[in-house]
Amino acid sequence: MAFRKLVTGWMLAGTTCLLSVAHASPLPATAIAPDSASIPVTQAGADAATPVSAGPLGSAHDARLALDDAWLPSVRADMNEQVIRIPVDAAGSVTLETTIYRPDGPGPFPMVVFNHGKLPGDPHNQTRSDPVSFAREFVRRGYVVVAPNRQGFADSGGTYEQDGCDVAANGLGQAADVAATINYMSKQPYVDANHIAVAGTSHGGLTTIAYGTQAAHGVRALINFSGGLRQDACTGWQNNLTAAFGSYGSKARVPSLWLYGDNDSVWTPALEAKMFAAYRTAEAGEDQSGVSATFIDYGAYKNDAHRLVGDRDGTKIWWPKVEAFLASEGMPTAIQYRVPAPVAPHGSGYAAIDSVGDVPYLDQAGRDGYRNFLKQYPSRAFAVSDSGAWSWAEGGDNPMAVAIANCEKHSNDACHLYAVNAKVVWSKDPTITAQNDAAAVPALADEGHALASR
């Protein structure tokens, strides 16, 4: 992001998907991508006929996820992250840049494949799929998490094939890369090839459901987070999309869970209902007993339901639904490992959170930036340097790390956390400030620190 410029980006949860919206100063924000899952939001400045569940987010009463797991074996905070190349064909002439997270030990472990979404523009400009919050919940439960970048995305080989306005063909083409990924990973000794789930968000959700028409033996569950493909340049794109899901439903081979929200920036609730109805009607018409499909309307999420799976805050909404679904399909869900997550530092008592004038080192632009920070959703963080550089971040996996990193891109000296969520954490005592900054530093599980955003 350019210094002193406003940059907003909604990346798909998955690949690119872990961005924050960054804002520098006074430029207008770019429009939300028509097919993207959300991610963190940051502002930087240097000076700058199946079961249907519904209900608003505010009425959700899911069980607390943070359990006393100190007795469990620990996994590194980076979840043993590894980036490999998966061949698409026997010749290996085209390979997929793929991120893997896994517990310690030889396994074999059940596997979940996560499919990213798509941003406007050249897909090669998207960042590597890195669904940290999603992966953490599964690694805690003993899964290998595999996040491939499909052909033409990020640093993967090949090119992205648009297939014109043919959404059904597009999804099946994307699903071929999922098939190649599962074929390759199923042969790894640490993978239990009889217990596989496939999940995806936005374009990756469409890809996931398309893959269900040709799923390999051992794939037991499909999870669709806000799936679809929006093509505003195509006449009747909504009908094309609905028809695509209908065509997948007629060949469905694996039970699926669909999770959509009421305030999605890409799909309306009416379109979401039509997509699912087309899939379910076609599925039922083929009399495919045992291949169930369940739609969950989880209500509104922050300012955009499309960002749910890219946000660590969204986990408490989607995991209980996913957990019940996986258990019903014979997939493990019990917590087996301790994986550290970012933890907000304690307040310092230096000032009230809304006292703009007490924030040190800021000029007028910085004070305006802090006022903007105060309007953001938790989780959020604001960082500042002695020379007046500043940045805020909201959402994603670790806004503390993102705020500091963005601030330091525009500062010759170190940046420090000033505020996190609803508390001021900065102090005139440099020792306290340094301790609080440590919350944003990546570390190993046995070091007791939090994992930084990527």
Side-chain angles (χ1 to χ4, degrees):
M1 340 182 151
F3 184 40
R4 297 179 184 250
K5 294 195 178 197
L6 171 60
V7 179
T8 56
W10 290 95
M11 313 267 288
L12 298 186
T15 155
T16 289
C17 175
L18 289 168
L19 286 186
S20 312
V21 178
H23 175 106
S25 249
L27 291 186
T30 58
I32 292 176
D35 175 34
S36 58
S38 98
I39 291 54
V41 181
T42 68
Q43 173 172 24
D47 310 323
T50 353
V52 174
S53 174
L57 176 61
S59 66
H61 298 289
D62 294 320
R64 181 170 62 93
L65 292 177
L67 304 177
D68 183 6
D69 56 3
W71 60 275
L72 294 171
S74 65
V75 176
R76 293 170 56 100
D78 66 0
M79 296 174 282
N80 299 307
E81 178 183 336
Q82 180 184 14
V83 180
I84 67 170
R85 311 287 309 190
I86 291 181
V88 172
D89 52 21
S93 56
V94 176
T95 59
L96 307 178
E97 180 186 35
T98 303
T99 307
I100 296 176
Y101 307 92
R102 54 178 289 194
D104 297 330
F109 305 108
M111 179 174 70
V112 59
V113 175
F114 182 85
N115 298 311
H116 61 76
K118 180 182 180 297
L119 291 174
D122 184 351
H124 275 305
N125 291 333
Q126 292 192 189
T127 59
R128 172 173 59 88
S129 181
D130 194 16
V132 178
S133 298
F134 176 92
R136 187 180 295 113
E137 290 309 309
F138 280 90
V139 171
R140 292 176 68 206
R141 291 160 173 87
Y143 281 74
V144 172
V145 180
V146 181
N149 289 100
R150 301 186 296 279
Q151 289 186 61
F153 288 89
D155 195 35
S156 288
T159 57
Y160 172 70
E161 297 184 17
Q162 179 67 46
D163 293 300
C165 295
D166 190 338
V167 179
N170 181 292
L172 292 173
Q174 300 297 307
D177 287 346
V178 180
T181 298
I182 291 176
N183 179 58
Y184 179 87
M185 292 302 302
S186 294
K187 297 173 183 176
Q188 306 309 307
Y190 57 86
V191 171
D192 176 359
N194 291 314
H195 291 85
I196 300 173
V198 180
T201 183
S202 199
H203 192 214
L206 175 81
T207 299
T208 296
I209 298 301
Y211 174 75
T213 66
Q214 55 189 30
H217 175 75
V219 176
R220 298 174 176 233
L222 307 176
I223 307 166
N224 168 18
F225 294 98
S226 304
L229 177 61
R230 181 163 178 165
Q231 300 175 308
D232 291 300
C234 295
T235 301
W237 67 267
Q238 297 96 330
N239 293 333
N240 296 341
L241 179 57
T242 300
F245 278 119
S247 69
Y248 302 153
S250 67
K251 300 175 183 177
R253 298 169 58 178
V254 181
S256 59
L257 178 67
W258 301 45
L259 297 103
Y260 289 77
D262 292 341
N263 64 331
D264 195 297
S265 64
V266 182
W267 325 119
T268 64
L271 179 57
E272 294 166 0
K274 287 181 180 178
M275 293 188 293
F276 180 72
Y279 180 87
R280 193 65 187 97
T281 299
E283 184 185 46
E286 295 296 320
D287 192 23
Q288 294 160 313
S289 57
V291 183
S292 64
T294 301
F295 186 98
I296 301 290
D297 170 9
Y298 53 82
Y301 178 72
K302 291 189 176 180
N303 63 329
D304 185 358
H306 211 69
R307 63 183 295 193
L308 180 79
V309 76
D311 242 2
R312 185 160 61 97
D313 293 336
T315 304
K316 63 180 177 293
I317 305 304
W318 64 259
W319 174 253
K321 322 301 183 189
V322 168
E323 178 181 34
F325 172 62
L326 291 175
S328 71
E329 301 307 328
M331 297 290 285
T333 59
I335 296 175
Q336 301 180 39
Y337 297 91
R338 178 165 53 92
V339 184
V343 177
H346 296 295
S348 66
Y350 166 75
I353 187 70
D354 58 354
S355 181
V356 178
D358 284 325
V359 185
Y361 313 124
L362 298 183
D363 60 8
Q364 184 59 50
R367 289 190 289 273
D368 289 342
Y370 188 74
R371 290 187 182 93
N372 200 358
F373 158 78
L374 293 175
K375 299 175 184 177
Q376 306 307 311
Y377 294 93
S379 300
R380 63 184 182 179
F382 189 92
V384 65
S385 76
D386 292 1
S387 58
W390 58 272
S391 174
W392 60 255
E394 183 268 317
D397 189 67
N398 187 351
M400 296 180 292
V402 176
I404 289 177
N406 284 348
C407 178
E408 292 187 342
K409 289 178 182 178
H410 314 306
S411 177
N412 292 324
D413 51 359
C415 289
H416 306 286
L417 291 173
Y418 177 79
V420 177
N421 296 335
K423 295 180 179 179
V424 172
V425 301
W426 186 87
S427 171
K428 291 181 179 180
D429 183 339
T431 300
I432 295 176
T433 295
Q435 290 174 345
N436 289 340
D437 290 345
V441 177
L444 303 187
D446 57 0
E447 292 176 336
H449 296 304
L451 172 67
S453 292
R454 291 172 168 54

